[in-house]
Every structure is written in structure tokens, then in C-alpha cells.
Amino acid sequence: MTFSAFDDNEFASDRMSTAVKTATAGAEQKLAETLSSLYKTILELIGTQASLFEVLESLCRFMEKQFPELACSVLLMDPDGRTLHHGAAPSLPPEYNAKVDGLQIGADAGSCGTAAFRRQQVIVSNIAADPLWKDFSRLALQFGLKACWSTPIISRDDKVLGTFAVYYRESRDPDSRHVYLVQCATHLAGIAIERDRADKELHAVETRYRALVENLPAITYIAEVGILGRWLYVSPQIETILGFSPEEWLSDPANWINHIHGEDRERALEAETRFWEIGGMYRAEYRVIARDGRAIWFRDDAVYLKTTDKQKPVMQGVLHDITEYKRLEDQLRQSQKMEAVGQLAGGVAHDFNNLLMIIQGRTERIEERFPASDASHQDAHEIKEAAGRATALTRQLLAFSRKQVLQPKVLDMNGENIQIVLHTAPSLWPVKVDQGQIEQAVLNLALNSRDAMPTGGKVTIETRNLEFKEAQTGELSSLKPGKYVVLEVSDTGTGMDAETQGHIFEPFFSTKELGKGTGLGLASVYGLVKQSGGWVSFRSKLGHGTAFTIYLPEANGEAHSTLKPSLTAPTVHSQGETILVVEDEDQIRDMVCQYLQQNGYTVLHAKDGKEALEIAQRYRGTIQLLLTDVVMPQVGGHELAQSLRKLRPRCKVLFTSGYPDHSALSDRPADRNAETLQKPYALARLAQKIREMLDMPDTIAAQSAR
């Protein structure tokens, strides 16, 4: 058999084509195996939570093993988006890496800085001659680096994460195999960087969440739904709030229901049943008994967490400590209730005092007309005594409602005005308070202590100075920072249960037998102290006694009262003075005018402020004193005093009222030399007060009024 030349050439060509195809297939197979090994190696590292540095170092070394003539480098973009920092470059000189660290990207910032700026691959085959390297070529050539190809690493949200570069120690153009593998390596570097940033962000979120959860003034938890559902997590605050460690609480699923206050369990379980049946949000308020026995109020807010079908339903919630809120809520409710009763008491006292004024005054007149041996004198005396008791009761009502007329003086609480003292601090700060009323308050507290110790015990009365540098919380939250004098009356008596403590300052509330107490003693103490700008608190435990503590603010810059009660009966008769009496109650006005006239005074009278001003304008003589009711139609007592002072500057003023509004009796510039007398008053007391004011020099009167 013979073959033509054509046949020989055709055979040779076929063999060559087959050889090329075989070689190409072999190269592609080798490239595929390399890529498979590359992805397997790097992705496994990423999956094992290796550090970003370890992943990038391994990526560079894998590439350098495949192509021994190159050295790899990964630069990472700073959060500012303008600066590249060293990431990994195991085969480049450390000195070069240090110089490149902090490279600013730009239009001619070498291969890496330019690639990041342009957001596209930059291939520089000859560093020495390329203008992109004009500012960096000396640095690269110093370390024998002559070519550099750099590819930007782009994130899935199209942000530049850094660059992946390959350096050569000879000038050269890229070949397709190198370029393809570099692109794959760049892709893997992007995966590693994004995974690292996601892990760091997740860790930061978890850290912030944990810091928030563990620093809230509340307990956070995750638990299975149900009365005995397992608690899967509880925050550390449970130890500081309830006294149980998280481990203790999680160890027993029954801890939750067993520590809910017995009176609140039904409410908590009803809320859980609704949550189970209807869904939505769990919300309930209940008390939990702490390790030390305290009952702490919580608001429990929780929601469902998604679970698989095989898992029990799980809820995540927050237990907010609302104990202080509940205390303030109770305090507000109590205050509103007492304010309402106080308004009622004050309103009744207004008319009642006017009636008592008439009864008491007329009875005094009747008593004076008969000798002591006469039955009519005795009847009048008994009526006057009863009116006096009614007056005392009315004043207790006014004390509770903070509507009484106080005659505050600057006192030393250790002074002779308080007779029973067991423990007193030296040099107490002065306080401004009604002397008679504070004495009555101490007496009321002491009597309560006595009654609480039927078999004997110890009553302690203590005074001390106390300064609050900061605003207080809890029961003293209404006290402003400042200096206070503390008066405390404590006993070793029977103490009070929680129910009694909840009503302690309410008017007409008493634990004494019927007829042995009005229930106004502590209410009047509360009213006096509040009206004087202070606060009263108490502590008590059944079987362990009670202590009441009064806080009175320091009277800044005011001297102690030096006025002493007279040891001899004062003169009450006139020394030729004229008094203007203004009263809208006809019977009271007539009675007072008759009494003053009998004592020798010249008396002018008017039914209201308008008529009184007309009289003052017409009268030619001197008017030494104005005796006026505070609340009157048309022109009230204060307005009258101000207008009269313009006409007669030296006229002194004595206010009276059966229902004095505390704000209406505040100090006013026009009321210097003015004092106040609360109805009902004895006519003899009125005469004594008038005489004291008329005999007092203007300067002393002004100082006393201030």
C-alpha cells in the first residue's frame, strides 16, 4: 500500500491537532484541580472561624506555591474609604510592607492605590517606566520588585474592601492563567473579608445587646411558656434585685410561680393563659418575694419567640422593677384622697368657726353677768367648754387640711418650748414653725406611743441636724437638697401591721376603741409639717415599735424668736385708741364691737372692705388698728389693708378668718405690722392680742411680722 504526499501531510496535521487538544485538555484539567484545591483550602479555613490574617496568609501562600516567581499582597481598605492598610504579604520584605501600610488611594498611587481608586484591575508590567509608580518606583525597585498587577476587592454591596496584588521580580506581561487565578483569589479574599466584618459586626451587636441587657435596671429572661416552663436564660440583675444567682433561678422551673406573692399569682396566671390562647403580648403586674423576704413589684412584658414545630413555645421578656412607681402611685392616691377630705374639712370649718365664734362670744357675755354660784353661770361655763372642745376639733381638721392660721417663729428645737427631751443634738439649726402647733404635734406622737405600750416601754424623743446634698428618692423624694432639723419620736410598742400603715395619716382613722380617739392626731401632724414646708415619715414593724420622723427645713438668715410669754396678766383696756372693725357676719361684728366698746375703745365698723375704705377716708381722727376678716365680698381683707396703708401708713392690721386659705395668708409687703387670729377666738384673747399689737413699737411689730 502506498500513501501520497498529501496523505502524509494530512496525517501529520491530524497528529498535531490531536496533540494540541490533548495538551489543552491537560492544562484545563490541571487548572480545574488547582482551583478546586484553592477554594477547598480557603473556604474550609473560613468555615473553621480562622482569623482573617490566617486566611489571607494561606491564600497568598497557595498562590505563591503555584507560581514561585510571584509574591502576593492583600491590602485592606480603611473605614474612611481612602486609606489602604497592610493585610497579608508573607513573601514581601517586612520593610516594604511597613512603607505601604497607610497608602492613600488616588489616580497615580501605584498599582494598588490606583486600582482601589478606579475600582478596576491595574496591570503594570514595568514599574520603573510606568507613570502610575512615579512616586513609589524607587521604593519598589529597592526591594527588587519590577512588575505589579493589582485587582480591587469589591463587596456584594459594591464597596471597595481592599486590593489583591501580585508582584514579580522581572518585568513581564500577564498571561491568561495567572490573570484567571488572581481573579479567583481576589474573589476568595472578598469572601474572607466580608465574613470577618460580618463576624465583627455581629460580635459588636451582641456585645452592645449584652451590655444593654445586663445594665438595664430590669431582669431579662427567656423561658418556655407555661407555669412550670423551663427558664433558658435570666440576666445577672436577678441577683442584685432578688438576691438569687442566675444559676439558682435556672435550676428549678418552679422558682417563678413559687416566688410570686400569694395575692398576685392568680393575676399572673390569668395573663399567661390569655397569652397562650390568644397570643400577642404577655403583660402583668405582680409582686415577687426576694431572698430577704421583701415583696418587689414587677411589670412583666414578654413576646413569643419563633421556634420549630418540635420545640415548646418560648417567650422572651423583661421584668421591670416598678416598686418605686407603685409607692409613688399609692402616695399620690393617698395625697389626692387626703386633699379631697381636707377640702371638705376646710369648707365645713369655715361656717362652723363663724357659728362657734358667736356661741363662744355670747356665752362669755352671759357668764360675766351671773355670779359663779348661779346655775346660769355654770350652764354658760359648760356651753363655753363644749364650744372650746368643738374649736379644738375644728382646728385639728384645719391642721390636717393645711388651712390653719400658723404663727411661725424661728425656734430652737432643743429649747424650753419642748419639755420632754431624751436625746438632743447640740446647736440645732433654727426652723420656722408655729410653736404651739409643733408642741401639739410632739404631744400627739408621744400620746400615740404611750397608747401603743399598754404594758410599758420606752419613748425616745430625739433631735438632730441633717443635710441632704442631693435629691432624695423613696419616701423622702419630696424633700429638696438642703439643711433640715430632724425631730423623731420612737417607741418600743406594739408596732403596726401593713394594713394600718396604709391608712396612718388618714383623718378619722383610728385603731383605738370607740370614744377614745378622734383619728385626727396624726392627720394634724401631717398637715402641720407639710404646711411648714417639711415632711413626716414613719417606720414600723409589728411587735417591734414605731418611729415617726419630722423633717423641718432650716430657717436661713432669721434670728431665733426672743419673745417670751408674759408672766402677768396684760392690760386689755383702751388707752384712747380707735379700732376699725370690718366683718361681713352681722352677729360677729355686733358682738366684737360691743365688747371693744366696753373695754373703752372707739370703734368704727363696716360690713365689707369697700365701706371700710369710705369710713377711713371720712374719719378725721387717728385709726390705730384695723381688725378685718380675710374673706369678704367685693374687697377682701388683704386688699383693704393695702389700700388703707396708703391712707394711714402707721395703722396696724389684725386679720381674722374662719377658713384661712394658706396662700392668702402668705407674707406680703403691704402687710407689715400685721398678724392673724383664727376664728373662733375668745373675746378675752382678742382684747389681749389687740393690746399687744397696740403697745408694740412699729419697728418691733414689723420685725415680728417678717
Side-chain angles (χ1 to χ4, degrees):
M1 180 181 294
T2 59
F3 296 90
S4 64
F6 177 80
D7 290 335
D8 289 341
N9 289 338
E10 185 176 0
F11 177 75
S13 176
D14 288 342
R15 290 187 62 188
M16 184 179 295
S17 176
T18 301
V20 169
K21 288 179 181 179
T22 301
T24 301
E28 289 179 351
Q29 178 65 27
K30 185 177 181 180
L31 178 61
E33 291 173 355
T34 301
L35 286 176
S36 176
S37 177
L38 172 63
Y39 273 86
K40 182 176 182 297
T41 301
I42 302 305
L43 291 178
E44 282 182 355
L45 272 176
I46 294 174
T48 58
Q49 301 296 314
S51 69
L52 178 63
F53 176 76
E54 291 174 326
V55 174
L56 296 180
E57 280 258 320
S58 297
L59 178 62
C60 290
R61 292 192 184 281
F62 187 97
M63 292 291 291
E64 291 166 355
K65 184 177 180 180
Q66 305 303 315
F67 307 102
E69 67 273 23
L70 62 78
C72 293
S73 167
V74 180
L75 297 179
L76 303 176
M77 181 66 76
D78 201 67
D80 65 8
R82 298 187 301 272
T83 309
L84 293 171
H85 287 289
H86 173 69
S91 299
L92 289 176
E95 296 86 349
Y96 180 79
N97 291 333
K99 295 285 186 180
V100 173
D101 191 24
L103 174 67
Q104 297 294 305
I105 69 174
D108 51 1
S111 298
C112 294
T114 306
F117 180 77
R118 294 180 181 176
R119 300 169 60 87
Q120 63 184 33
Q121 188 179 54
V122 172
I123 295 177
V124 174
S125 301
N126 186 354
I127 288 176
D130 198 297
L132 296 180
W133 280 81
K134 60 183 177 63
D135 296 328
F136 308 98
S137 60
R138 181 176 299 178
L139 173 64
L141 296 174
Q142 175 185 347
F143 294 100
L145 305 176
K146 297 182 179 179
C148 180
W149 314 340
S150 184
T151 306
I153 304 171
I154 307 295
S155 69
R156 284 172 293 179
D157 57 356
D158 203 36
K159 293 181 179 178
V160 177
L161 302 176
T163 59
F164 185 89
V166 290
Y167 288 86
Y168 294 91
R169 299 190 181 279
E170 60 181 20
S171 299
R172 61 166 292 172
D173 292 324
D175 61 61
S176 59
R177 187 165 177 264
H178 281 204
V179 170
Y180 185 68
L181 282 174
V182 165
Q183 288 176 343
C184 293
T186 302
H187 177 238
L188 286 170
I191 294 174
I193 295 170
E194 285 200 281
R195 174 61 181 268
D196 179 71
R197 293 192 176 184
D199 287 346
K200 288 179 178 177
E201 180 60 29
L202 178 61
H203 179 71
V205 170
E206 289 177 346
T207 301
R208 289 195 297 269
Y209 176 75
R210 183 171 293 275
L212 174 65
V213 165
E214 296 183 358
N215 287 283
L216 280 172
I219 301 170
T220 56
Y221 67 89
I222 299 175
E224 293 175 348
V225 179
I227 299 174
L228 296 178
R230 288 185 310 119
W231 282 54
L232 308 176
Y233 168 80
V234 65
S235 63
Q237 291 94 318
I238 194 169
E239 189 157 10
T240 56
I241 297 176
L242 288 175
F244 301 101
S245 70
E247 293 76 19
E248 285 180 285
W249 192 263
L250 296 175
S251 66
D252 185 357
N255 268 330
W256 176 68
I257 192 63
N258 287 344
H259 285 88
I260 294 180
H261 193 287
E263 296 176 3
D264 303 336
R265 286 179 186 170
E266 186 175 349
R267 180 167 57 252
L269 295 179
E270 284 178 356
E272 177 125 348
T273 301
R274 289 194 303 271
F275 182 61
W276 176 270
E277 295 175 350
I278 303 173
M281 187 171 187
Y282 176 86
R283 170 163 290 184
E285 292 183 0
Y286 51 80
R287 287 164 291 179
V288 176
I289 307 302
R291 182 188 289 277
D292 60 7
R294 291 176 302 122
I296 300 176
W297 273 102
F298 286 103
R299 188 183 76 240
D300 189 352
D301 295 324
V303 295
Y304 270 120
L305 289 182
K306 290 183 179 179
T307 58
T308 64
D309 294 338
K310 296 181 180 179
Q311 290 178 307
K312 292 183 178 180
V314 173
M315 59 197 294
Q316 181 175 21
V318 181
L319 289 167
H320 305 272
D321 183 351
I322 59 171
T323 306
E324 177 66 8
Y325 169 79
K326 283 290 187 180
R327 189 194 67 79
L328 293 174
E329 188 178 58
D330 289 343
Q331 191 179 64
L332 175 61
R333 189 182 302 112
Q334 179 77 356
S335 176
Q336 290 172 335
K337 180 167 60 177
M338 294 177 73
E339 186 69 25
V341 176
Q343 292 289 344
L344 176 62
V348 170
H350 170 244
D351 293 331
F352 194 50
N353 278 341
N354 280 334
L355 295 174
L356 285 173
M357 181 75 232
I358 297 169
I359 295 171
Q360 188 168 297
R362 291 300 182 186
T363 305
E364 286 184 38
R365 300 290 303 279
I366 294 172
E367 191 179 26
E368 291 172 357
R369 293 177 188 156
F370 296 94
S373 58
D374 194 288
S376 296
H377 179 95
Q378 186 62 30
D379 289 342
H381 180 76
E382 292 295 331
I383 294 172
K384 189 174 73 171
E385 288 293 313
R389 289 195 297 271
T391 298
L393 180 61
T394 306
R395 284 181 177 166
Q396 282 188 302
L397 286 170
L398 289 172
F400 156 69
S401 60
R402 287 172 272 161
K403 302 291 186 183
Q404 66 199 4
V405 177
L406 299 181
Q407 299 290 343
K409 296 183 176 72
V410 179
L411 301 177
D412 179 353
M413 292 293 287
N414 284 342
E416 61 186 2
N417 298 305
I418 297 179
Q419 300 299 319
I420 303 176
V421 176
L422 298 180
H423 296 293
T424 59
S427 304
L428 282 182
W429 297 317
V431 296
K432 192 170 186 180
V433 66
D434 187 292
Q435 178 176 332
Q437 293 291 338
I438 196 65
E439 289 175 352
Q440 185 63 47
V442 174
L443 178 60
N444 286 343
L445 294 176
L447 290 175
N448 273 356
S449 292
R450 180 204 64 185
D451 294 341
M453 298 184 294
T455 60
K458 182 180 179 181
V459 177
T460 302
I461 300 178
E462 179 184 358
T463 59
R464 63 182 183 273
N465 291 326
L466 180 63
E467 183 173 5
F468 295 124
K469 299 289 187 181
E470 300 176 349
Q472 300 299 295
T473 58
E475 63 179 10
L476 300 182
S477 58
S478 59
L479 291 179
K480 298 178 181 178
K483 295 181 178 179
Y484 292 84
V485 170
V486 178
L487 169 64
E488 184 169 281
V489 179
S490 59
D491 62 60
T492 57
T494 56
M496 298 181 287
D497 58 24
E499 176 67 20
T500 301
Q501 292 182 38
H503 302 280
I504 194 67
F505 291 123
E506 290 182 8
F508 310 116
F509 175 80
S510 177
T511 58
K512 299 176 183 177
E513 296 177 20
L514 187 63
K516 294 193 175 181
T518 63
L520 287 171
L522 291 177
S524 62
V525 172
Y526 176 86
L528 163 71
V529 175
K530 287 286 288 181
Q531 190 174 350
S532 300
W535 183 253
V536 58
S537 65
F538 69 92
R539 61 183 185 276
S540 183
K541 188 175 181 181
L542 199 60
H544 295 275
T546 300
F548 284 90
T549 307
I550 294 173
Y551 301 84
L552 294 172
E554 180 193 26
N556 294 319
E558 299 191 48
H560 291 181
S561 173
T562 57
L563 299 177
K564 304 283 186 180
S566 176
L567 298 179
T568 60
T571 302
V572 297
H573 295 286
S574 170
Q575 298 177 12
E577 295 94 349
T578 298
I579 298 175
L580 175 56
V581 177
V582 188
E583 169 64 60
D584 59 334
E585 280 284 344
D586 295 342
Q587 295 184 58
I588 296 177
R589 185 177 67 251
D590 294 343
M591 180 179 63
V592 169
C593 289
Q594 290 174 18
Y595 180 76
L596 293 177
Q597 287 169 348
Q598 287 179 354
N599 281 277
Y601 292 100
T602 300
V603 179
L604 308 174
H605 58 85
K607 65 179 181 296
D608 57 42
K610 181 180 179 183
E611 184 180 351
L613 286 175
E614 293 173 354
I615 292 173
Q617 290 172 340
R618 294 195 309 265
Y619 187 68
R620 296 301 179 186
T622 302
I623 300 176
Q624 279 80 11
L625 185 137
L626 169 67
L627 174 64
T628 179
D629 194 14
V630 173
V631 180
M632 295 182 297
Q634 298 189 44
V635 178
H638 281 294
E639 291 75 16
L640 169 60
Q642 292 173 0
S643 300
L644 184 62
R645 192 62 47 71
K646 296 176 183 177
L647 296 173
R648 299 174 182 270
R650 300 179 65 83
C651 181
K652 296 171 183 176
V653 179
L654 178 58
F655 292 112
T656 69
S657 180
Y659 179 26
D661 181 1
H662 182 57
S663 63
L665 293 172
S666 58
D667 293 339
R668 301 187 182 194
D671 292 344
R672 66 185 185 278
N673 298 357
E675 293 198 31
T676 306
L677 194 63
Q678 182 172 331
K679 296 178 182 177
Y681 49 80
L683 293 175
R685 173 60 182 147
L686 171 65
Q688 180 183 343
K689 190 68 177 177
I690 289 174
R691 191 68 261 160
E692 288 175 359
M693 292 186 67
L694 291 175
D695 291 343
M696 189 182 297
D698 289 349
T699 54
I700 296 179
Q703 181 181 2
S704 175
R706 284 195 296 271

